[in-house]
Amino acid sequence: MDVAVEDNVVEKKESKFDEDFVKLASDSEKNDSDAEDEEFPEISWFRFTDVVKDDVDRALEAEGAKAEDEPEDEQAFLMESLFGNKEKLLENLKEQSGESESQRESTKRKHAWEDSDDEEVTIKQGLEKTHKKSLLLDPGAEYKKYLSKKYQKIVGEPKWADMDRVESDSDDDELLKTAGHVLKGKRGALGENTIGFKRLEDLNKSTYCEGLVTSVEFHPTSSVALVTGLRGIASIYSIEKTKCDKLHSIQFKKFPLRCARLSLDGSEAILGSKTSCFFTYNLITGQQQKHFLPKGMTKMRNFEISPNGEFLAVAGRFGEIHLLTVTTKEWICTLKQEHDVAAMAFSPDSRKLFVHSRDSEVSVFDLTAQKMMHRFMDDGCVSGSSIATSPSGKFLATGSGQGIVNVYDAENVLLSKMPTPTKIFKNLVTSISSTTFNPSSELLAMCSSEANDALKLAQFPSAKVFSNFPGNNLTKAKPNVLRFSPGGRYLAVGNLNGRVSLYLLKHYEEF
């Protein structure tokens, strides 16, 4: 067959695929147009030092001893007892370092500081009608233990302090619960059966202007996210705890955005479509620039940036993968596999590229040698649709058009042409549209854009799907793309109806 005729056939197939995809999106928008937006309560956040200081003042007032009437040295002693004295801690460290190993083992450690007032107070649970959390003080040893724990978390603890202590956060957590505090951050091991989460307002609720969502990218250093869609609009949203606001939108006329990625430092967004050009947008200066693809490349609708921020892998025609530099956008080489490219994923060290094909085959390329180093058959797969590597480098997840997600040991797949998956997920029954691991490699999110709320979250290393996620508060939309925030606290789900659902995962405290 003539090359020009063959190109024409391929373009017709892709055009037909695009028309079907957009029709699916429009149907979803029509079905969900009457859905009401849900309101979500704000979460109250506390600073430990502010809460304790206010409650100490209230307790002193209740006993008739005003804080203002106390001698200056007593106030200083109280503040030192509650919040610690850094200079005194350093002195104690210096003294302890002079002791011999045998003396430290035989001698029982003494507290770095003591406060006689602690003998006169205890903890008592209190809750005002205004729903403000209060901390009332009474006599008891638990309060001393509580303050000691918080002092260690704020100032830190030397290695010698661990010699006769069994570390446990359970007592501290229990005390915080009884005191009425809102717990935040990572607490113990992640459960295997259920996960604590909260569905927030949609990330793009302020506008819903992007159309069918094709990409969601979190900024690596700031609490903002980039959302793009088929309407050719790219928007930047800020995320403040449980509230999201639009910062800026940019329109690319007659340029439906198919894929978007942020550079390693988050200063530049690369936006592609099914044309022979692409755009870059500088998030710092607000300037956009148009680039033309190197010779031999016809589109940029599917691409990935390597974890080290150096390589840009672009899926081409007839199983080609074009490798460019991120900084200069210059062509490096072209890799080739037998079947068309469905999805790509770099290894964490950026030395290998895993490519899932429209067939059942997965190719592994050595980027140093710029050639294929291995290929294997995806177990039970007829047509590949997605692929993801864990940040730890231990797992490789593949999704298929049959709704199956296989998880492999990343090292074992290089040893066999038909490796056996360590886990097979059959929780979804339609084609997998996206799979992604969270930054700690403890969670695997998977979804399908062919069914409403076809979204699952699995825990590792147990490889169990959480039974309570996404819960009863469903979005009634078809999830298309998934992305975790840099710290794993947020999970964004882009849907075909133009909404980006946002989930807060309570186990993680970093954005």
Side-chain angles (χ1 to χ4, degrees):
M1 181 183 293
D2 187 82
V3 175
V5 175
E6 189 173 356
D7 289 349
N8 187 33
V9 172
V10 173
E11 290 298 331
K12 286 183 177 180
K13 288 182 179 179
E14 291 179 347
S15 177
K16 182 64 171 58
F17 174 79
D18 294 337
E19 291 176 2
D20 295 342
F21 195 52
V22 173
K23 183 177 184 304
L24 180 63
S26 62
D27 292 341
S28 177
E29 289 183 5
K30 183 177 180 181
N31 293 336
D32 299 334
S33 59
D34 298 332
E36 296 182 358
D37 294 333
E38 299 174 4
E39 297 296 331
F40 302 91
E42 294 284 331
I43 296 179
S44 300
W45 298 84
F46 303 93
R47 290 182 180 272
F48 166 74
T49 54
D50 294 338
V51 174
V52 174
K53 187 175 184 302
D54 292 342
D55 291 334
V56 167
D57 290 341
R58 286 199 295 270
L60 291 175
E61 289 175 4
E63 294 175 7
K66 302 294 183 182
E68 292 81 358
D69 299 334
E70 286 188 69
E72 190 173 349
D73 57 340
E74 289 185 11
Q75 284 188 350
F77 180 74
L78 178 59
M79 294 301 291
E80 179 182 330
S81 302
L82 287 173
F83 307 115
N85 186 321
K86 189 174 182 180
E87 289 76 12
K88 192 169 183 179
L89 175 63
L90 294 175
E91 253 180 58
N92 292 334
L93 286 173
K94 188 175 180 181
E95 292 175 4
Q96 289 289 342
S97 63
E99 295 181 0
S100 65
E101 198 69 22
S102 59
Q103 287 176 329
R104 277 183 283 180
E105 291 179 358
S106 60
T107 305
K108 185 178 180 181
R109 290 187 298 108
K110 296 182 179 180
H111 293 294
W113 47 264
E114 293 183 1
D115 189 354
S116 58
D117 292 341
D118 288 346
E119 303 299 331
E120 301 175 2
V121 296
T122 57
I123 302 294
K124 182 179 179 181
Q125 181 179 1
L127 184 63
E128 300 176 356
K129 292 183 179 180
T130 57
H131 298 288
K132 293 182 179 179
K133 272 58 178 179
S134 61
L135 188 65
L136 305 180
L137 308 177
D138 295 323
E142 287 297 321
Y143 183 60
K144 292 174 64 178
K145 188 175 180 181
Y146 171 64
L147 290 179
S148 177
K149 281 270 187 184
K150 301 310 295 183
Y151 177 82
Q152 293 164 11
K153 289 183 178 179
I154 295 172
V155 180
E157 187 176 38
K159 292 182 178 179
W160 56 263
D162 292 331
M163 62 185 181
D164 62 352
R165 177 177 298 175
V166 178
E167 190 65 35
S168 174
D169 292 335
S170 59
D171 294 337
D172 188 23
D173 290 345
E174 191 62 30
L175 180 58
L176 285 173
K177 290 178 182 177
T178 58
H181 281 267
V182 175
L183 294 179
K184 59 179 180 178
K186 190 171 181 178
R187 305 183 299 277
L190 183 64
E192 297 181 359
N193 299 314
T194 60
I195 184 171
F197 74 95
K198 180 179 180 64
R199 185 191 162 201
L200 308 178
E201 292 181 345
D202 291 342
L203 178 60
N204 60 343
K205 182 182 178 181
S206 57
T207 59
Y208 293 128
C209 63
E210 297 81 16
L212 186 153
V213 179
T214 54
S215 295
V216 180
E217 292 289 309
F218 285 97
H219 196 275
T221 58
S222 303
S223 56
V224 298
L226 172 71
V227 179
T228 65
L230 286 185
R231 291 178 183 170
I233 297 177
S235 302
I236 300 175
Y237 297 90
S238 67
I239 304 173
E240 297 295 335
K241 295 181 180 177
T242 61
K243 186 179 180 181
C244 302
D245 294 314
K246 190 184 81 168
L247 300 179
H248 182 63
S249 286
I250 181 171
Q251 171 80 54
F252 298 88
K253 294 183 179 179
K254 297 181 180 180
F255 193 81
L257 299 174
R258 299 283 176 170
C259 186
R261 296 290 183 266
L262 289 176
S263 60
L264 182 62
D265 60 359
S267 63
E268 183 182 70
I270 302 176
L271 308 110
S273 186
K274 61 177 183 178
T275 64
S276 59
C277 65
F278 65 98
F279 286 88
T280 57
Y281 179 76
N282 193 304
L283 276 68
I284 300 175
T285 64
Q287 295 180 343
Q288 67 177 35
Q289 185 176 357
K290 186 176 182 179
H291 305 263
F292 288 95
L293 294 172
K295 186 178 180 180
M297 299 176 60
T298 59
K299 66 193 71 176
M300 198 167 168
R301 59 181 297 169
N302 182 8
F303 61 90
E304 296 291 341
I305 294 180
S306 63
N308 63 5
E310 295 182 5
F311 303 117
L312 182 66
V314 183
R317 300 177 301 168
F318 315 123
E320 293 179 339
I321 303 99
H322 305 283
L323 208 61
L324 310 178
T325 61
V326 172
T327 53
T328 64
K329 314 303 184 292
E330 292 179 327
W331 175 84
I332 300 175
C333 68
T334 297
L335 308 172
K336 186 75 167 64
Q337 67 176 18
E338 186 176 349
H339 304 283
D340 288 339
V341 176
M344 301 174 293
F346 284 92
S347 63
D349 59 7
S350 302
R351 295 182 179 180
K352 292 187 287 290
L353 178 65
F354 296 88
V355 183
H356 210 330
S357 68
R358 295 289 179 189
D359 198 73
S360 60
E361 195 172 75
V362 178
S363 302
V364 185
F365 293 92
D366 185 343
L367 299 183
T368 303
Q370 298 182 3
K371 65 179 183 180
M372 183 185 295
M373 60 181 293
H374 183 65
R375 60 182 179 178
F376 65 92
M377 303 298 292
D378 188 10
D379 185 72
C381 172
V382 176
S383 58
S385 58
S386 69
I387 192 168
T389 56
S390 65
S392 65
K394 185 176 181 181
F395 302 113
L396 175 70
T398 60
S400 70
Q402 293 68 51
I404 302 296
V405 175
N406 292 326
V407 179
Y408 298 91
D409 186 300
E411 294 183 358
N412 289 343
V413 296
L414 302 176
L415 304 177
S416 172
K417 290 190 176 182
M418 298 187 68
T420 302
T422 57
K423 178 64 179 180
I424 301 176
F425 293 102
K426 300 180 180 179
N427 304 81
L428 301 176
V429 295
T430 52
S431 180
I432 305 299
S433 57
S434 180
T435 52
T436 184
F437 287 92
N438 78 327
S440 65
S441 303
E442 294 177 295
L443 300 176
L444 171 63
M446 59 197 95
C447 70
S448 173
S449 61
E450 296 184 4
N452 284 338
D453 302 299
L455 172 65
K456 296 296 179 181
L457 199 59
Q459 190 266 357
F460 283 86
S462 68
K464 293 182 179 179
V465 174
F466 291 117
S467 59
N468 66 327
F469 186 87
N472 298 323
N473 191 10
L474 302 178
T475 61
K476 298 179 181 179
K478 297 177 174 64
N480 185 40
V481 292
L482 303 170
R483 192 67 71 198
F484 285 98
S485 61
R489 185 163 178 80
Y490 296 94
L491 171 62
V493 183
N495 298 286
L496 295 186
N497 66 351
R499 301 187 177 206
V500 181
S501 305
L502 191 63
Y503 296 89
L504 185 148
L505 306 180
K506 300 179 180 179
H507 182 75
Y508 303 95
E509 66 175 344
E510 298 295 333
F511 173 79

